[in-house]
Amino acid sequence: MNAETLDLSRPAVFTTSDERAAAIAFFNAAYRAEESGLRQAHEMADAVAREDPDLAACLRLYGDEEGWHRSLLTQFLAWLGGSVRPMGPTTRTFYRLYARAERMESIVLVNLMFETIGSTTYRLALRRATQPAVRQMLTILTRDESFHVPLNVHFLRAAIARADGDPRRMRMRLRAIYHATFVALVASTAASRRRAKLFDRIPTRVLGRAYAEQLSRLFLDEDDLGLAPSPFLLRAFGLGRDALLRAPSPVSLDAAERAADRENVAVAAY
Ligand SMILES: [Fe+2]
Ligand SMILES: [Fe+2]
């Protein structure tokens, strides 16, 4: 991590001050996601440290990577001519609710869904980004968050295996969280477009559709988790199971192995 630094030698160029403000809003949202990921990962590492030191070490490294992203984003926001800003009311409510989650499997599931929409947004933003420093920042985030998706599926399986209480109730709770978070995240694209579209130029429909596809695809192949999206949800977003299954799974062991050695990862825009 320490060997990889941002090249911010050239000044940031924006055609309007609104575009700059949108860029600052975009990367502030990224900053908050990193901060939340870092805290949750380290809290979970502490919680499992005694029973499962290997899992704890893995969670700690993962949290450290989010901390590294957070520090890169702090430099990057300054380069944009902005800074880390206090959260708006909606974002604050979202993270506050999330911070109240207590069960590890619920926390990991929500986090995994955040990682999914994060990597999706960064990859889509790469389509239009032209400034080399912006591309570098987005490429780092796309590469690492894409790896965090299968990594968190591993954490989710570990959390489910060590969960106590009635397993049937836990499955029902996870399914309810998955479906509610799915709808909330797709709905959140409207607010994010108001703030960030002038910078990332992702149309509302494209972003909403990409979130729905990626979040639906997550668990389609993972029968043991019992978290496949309901047929009703797929229909509501005009998605077909067979078409989704034709795309490679973002959470397979293959996907994880392809992403594990960051120097060999080629990040492609959608
Ligand atoms: Fe991150
Ligand atoms: Fe992440």
Side-chain angles (χ1 to χ4, degrees):
M1 283 187 257
N2 292 334
E4 190 173 14
T5 52
L6 292 172
D7 178 3
L8 304 174
S9 52
R10 284 197 268 169
V13 181
F14 294 101
T15 39
T16 63
S17 59
D18 284 351
E19 190 188 345
R20 182 187 299 272
I24 293 168
F26 181 99
F27 289 102
N28 256 281
Y31 179 95
R32 292 301 174 188
E34 303 297 353
E35 188 178 56
S36 166
L38 162 65
R39 204 197 56 242
Q40 304 276 26
H42 283 181
E43 280 177 11
M44 287 189 292
D46 291 343
V48 302
R50 220 163 358 129
E51 293 155 55
D52 194 338
D54 288 344
L55 179 63
C58 192
L59 280 160
R60 207 168 290 286
L61 280 170
Y62 159 61
D64 290 348
E65 186 160 88
E66 302 297 32
W68 176 60
H69 289 164
R70 187 180 64 168
S71 74
L72 292 181
L73 284 164
T74 309
Q75 297 165 35
F76 192 75
L77 280 164
W79 177 78
L80 289 172
S83 59
V84 178
R85 287 190 313 221
M87 284 184 261
T90 320
T91 320
R92 199 166 39 238
T93 311
F94 213 44
Y95 281 117
R96 213 175 259 168
L97 279 174
Y98 178 42
R100 279 200 347 224
E102 276 178 6
R103 302 190 61 104
M104 183 168 163
E105 67 279 11
S106 310
I107 295 171
V108 176
L109 174 60
V110 175
N111 195 47
L112 164 59
M113 297 177 78
F114 276 38
E115 298 282 9
T116 305
I117 64 152
S119 53
T120 304
T121 315
Y122 303 141
R123 200 182 293 276
L124 282 169
L126 266 173
R127 265 187 192 171
R128 295 295 196 88
T130 51
Q131 298 190 61
V134 173
R135 293 197 63 83
Q136 190 193 3
M137 185 75 251
L138 288 172
T139 302
I140 291 173
L141 293 174
T142 308
R143 176 196 68 196
D144 297 347
E145 307 310 348
S146 301
F147 175 56
H148 292 171
V149 175
L151 181 63
N152 270 275
V153 174
H154 170 68
F155 293 149
L156 182 60
R157 288 204 167 92
I160 287 174
R162 60 189 297 287
D164 42 21
D166 179 356
R168 227 174 57 95
R169 288 187 59 139
M170 176 194 62
R171 301 274 169 187
M172 278 168 53
R173 196 167 45 236
L174 287 179
R175 274 190 73 74
I177 292 172
Y178 169 73
H179 285 89
T181 309
F182 185 119
V183 174
L185 290 174
V186 175
S188 77
T189 53
S192 99
R193 296 307 70 210
R194 274 196 299 279
R195 285 191 293 268
K197 191 174 166 189
L198 269 179
F199 161 69
D200 61 39
R201 306 187 191 248
I202 310 171
T204 313
R205 278 185 53 133
V206 171
L207 191 64
R209 172 93 193 168
Y211 280 12
E213 271 181 21
Q214 298 301 316
L215 292 170
S216 301
R217 183 68 185 84
L218 270 183
F219 303 118
L220 270 187
D221 257 348
E222 317 301 311
D223 292 340
D224 62 311
L225 294 174
L227 284 169
S230 75
F232 173 77
L233 187 82
L234 290 182
R235 252 198 321 275
F237 288 96
L239 297 167
R241 204 186 130 80
D242 295 344
L244 288 170
L245 279 171
R246 277 197 285 277
S249 168
V251 304
S252 63
L253 204 55
D254 261 8
E257 281 178 345
R258 272 199 307 276
D261 188 352
R262 54 167 59 166
E263 279 167 34
N264 296 328
V265 177
V267 173
Y270 280 130

